[in-house]
Amino acid sequence: MSRSTLLAACLAAIVMTGCQPASEGASAPAASADPATVSSTGAAQGVRVSDAWIRETPPNAAVAGGYLTLRSDADDRLVAVETSASASVEIHEMSHAGGVMRMRELPDGVELPAGTDVSLRPGGNHLMFIGPVEPVRAGQTIEATLRFQNAPEQTVQFEVRPLTGDAPAAEGHSGH
Ligand SMILES: [Cu+2]
């Protein structure tokens, strides 16, 4: 599958499963990675993961959207996600420009400012599970490993929620 086809399928999946109205002009992502400074705080760094879920997909769906909330004790970055449940996982950004919804891969992952809840959620940044090896059905859990720039990797159980189910209560996009 070509890359553009893939992104189209990805976008279609998101739209089909109901793009949540973007609550506000989502906070501008600080897109530029800054590898210049490496914090040398020897303190143990941890990332707390909560509300990890994947939306159930129709049969034969090419992709499934994954969501979660991350909170890191120290400045960090979610750089990759791996699972045996799909061919690959990409970290995607969603933007609405001039009424057009666009999606692109975030090659440097998602920034995790210290002490701040960072939510990947419908209509915003999300994980794209590409090429699920089996249909993704509600009630299942899917295990995936999160890799961070600094913190140790972490294995997380994503709960599959029904297509028709309510989106989780919108957690306030606070913490700026
Ligand atoms: Cu996507």
Side-chain angles (χ1 to χ4, degrees), residues 11 15 19-22 25 94-103 123:
L11 194 52
V15 171
C19 176
Q20 300 298 305
M94 188 94 112
S95 64
H96 302 256
V100 180
M101 201 157 38
R102 295 177 195 284
M103 177 174 315

Side-chain angles (χ1 to χ4, degrees), residues 7 10-11 14 90 92-94 103-104 126-128:
L7 285 178
C10 171
L11 194 52
I14 295 286
E90 292 184 356
H92 280 186
E93 173 186 64
M94 188 94 112
M103 177 174 315
R104 72 179 184 99
H126 56 276
L127 304 180
M128 208 84 250

Side-chain angles (χ1 to χ4, degrees), residues 27-33 77 111:
S27 56
S32 60
R77 186 171 280 274
E111 189 181 11

